[in-house]
Amino acid sequence: MASKLPGKELLMTNYCAFSKDYKCIKWADYELTCHELEEADELCHGNWIEIQHLQNYIEQLQALLTEYEIEIPPEY
């Protein structure tokens, strides 16, 4: 798998010529980090959907309170 930076290409593979079993000891860290970033992305997306849902809910409640001339308490 190759990563790109502007003007550079970084190669990240599981091969290491300097290891007895030719396995890169940083590869496990790389794979774990990729997995954690995917999880974080999924959690952020889920949280954003929940925030939008709650914002819509609040807007509907505020509209009802305003319609029935009920004072909306100030935010604290």
Side-chain angles (χ1 to χ4, degrees), residues 13-56:
T13 63
N14 196 20
Y15 175 77
C16 179
F18 304 105
S19 173
K20 288 181 184 178
D21 59 0
Y22 299 106
K23 293 194 178 195
C24 179
I25 57 175
K26 292 184 180 180
W27 184 254
D29 289 339
Y30 172 77
E31 287 182 322
L32 183 62
T33 302
C34 287
H35 178 70
E36 288 175 347
L37 286 172
E38 288 173 9
E39 261 186 21
D41 184 51
E42 289 173 12
L43 289 172
C44 286
H45 182 69
N47 287 345
W48 183 247
I49 289 171
E50 184 176 353
I51 288 168
Q52 287 178 321
H53 170 75
L54 291 173
Q55 184 63 39
N56 290 338

